[in-house]
Amino acid sequence: ILKVDTINEKTTGSGVYIPGHVIQTVIFENDQTQSNHTVVSSNVGFVNTGNTATITPKFATSKILIDVHDPIHGDADQDGHNTYAGWRLYRGTSTVLKTFSYNGSENTTILVSRGGQGAATTMSTTHLDSPATTSAVTYKTMMQRSSPSNRELRVNWTGTQSMTLMEIAQ
């Protein structure tokens, strides 16, 4: 007996879309240079990292698969302080994803430099979002610094910052 699996296809005036397949991709890359990195120099709250991309979904039912990389460098500190970062992903002005939270309180939990030594790390994640629209959607990342010292965080200084948005048919 031959078993045939059927694929649930959706058709539009512009083609056939199969659930689970990529309809379109938008890629943003910001090459590392000292002239285009973002400096977070105080504990004043969240600062735009410059990592942003916009996609216009073809279907309101589509999901957006987001792959993001924010390289971070923490300055050395003569007093031996640790430097931490908090990180968020936004859709427009709404928070989509944030660093670890405990008991409803958000923590700055990315250890960037330890014991006063300068160090580098990368905040990388993948997230599946449901914007439920066919209007343009802008995603961006923001970061805050948490340190008792005056040392800086630099975003996009030690590697290439990037964001990839993929519209996934449903």
Side-chain angles (χ1 to χ4, degrees):
I1 298 175
L2 178 64
K3 181 179 178 187
V4 178
D5 289 328
T6 59
I7 298 174
N8 183 13
E9 297 179 348
K10 295 180 181 180
T11 59
T12 68
S14 60
V16 175
Y17 297 99
I18 301 169
H21 285 95
V22 176
I23 297 171
Q24 64 173 314
T25 301
V26 173
I27 299 171
F28 168 81
E29 286 186 341
N30 195 4
D31 290 335
Q32 68 178 61
T33 64
Q34 288 191 15
S35 64
N36 71 357
H37 70 275
T38 300
V39 177
V40 183
S41 59
S42 64
N43 299 336
V44 297
F46 283 86
V47 175
N48 192 342
T49 67
N51 199 356
T52 184
T54 301
I55 191 167
T56 305
K58 295 188 185 307
F59 304 101
T61 57
S62 293
K63 306 274 188 203
I64 305 298
L65 183 62
I66 306 156
D67 184 46
V68 63
H69 304 280
D70 275 327
I72 313 163
H73 178 269
D75 280 348
D77 178 346
Q78 296 172 348
D79 299 324
H81 294 114
N82 294 345
T83 302
Y84 296 89
W87 180 92
R88 290 181 182 173
L89 172 67
Y90 286 84
R91 177 189 345 108
T93 58
S94 299
T95 304
V96 174
L97 193 62
K98 58 187 174 181
T99 50
F100 176 77
S101 61
Y102 179 73
N103 284 339
S105 175
E106 183 174 2
N107 296 316
T108 50
T109 57
I110 303 168
L111 177 62
V112 180
S113 61
R114 182 180 173 136
Q117 300 298 312
T121 190
T122 299
M123 176 56 200
S124 295
T125 193
T126 302
H127 180 73
L128 188 62
D129 191 38
S130 303
T133 185
T134 56
S135 298
V137 180
T138 299
Y139 292 93
K140 68 179 178 182
T141 61
M142 296 184 81
M143 190 167 295
Q144 76 175 34
R145 184 197 76 154
S146 177
S147 172
S149 70
N150 62 357
R151 300 305 180 217
E152 298 176 335
L153 288 178
R154 290 182 176 83
V155 183
N156 196 41
W157 193 37
T158 57
T160 299
Q161 189 178 44
S162 68
M163 185 179 302
T164 303
L165 307 175
M166 291 176 273
E167 181 179 2
I168 309 297
Q170 297 303 298

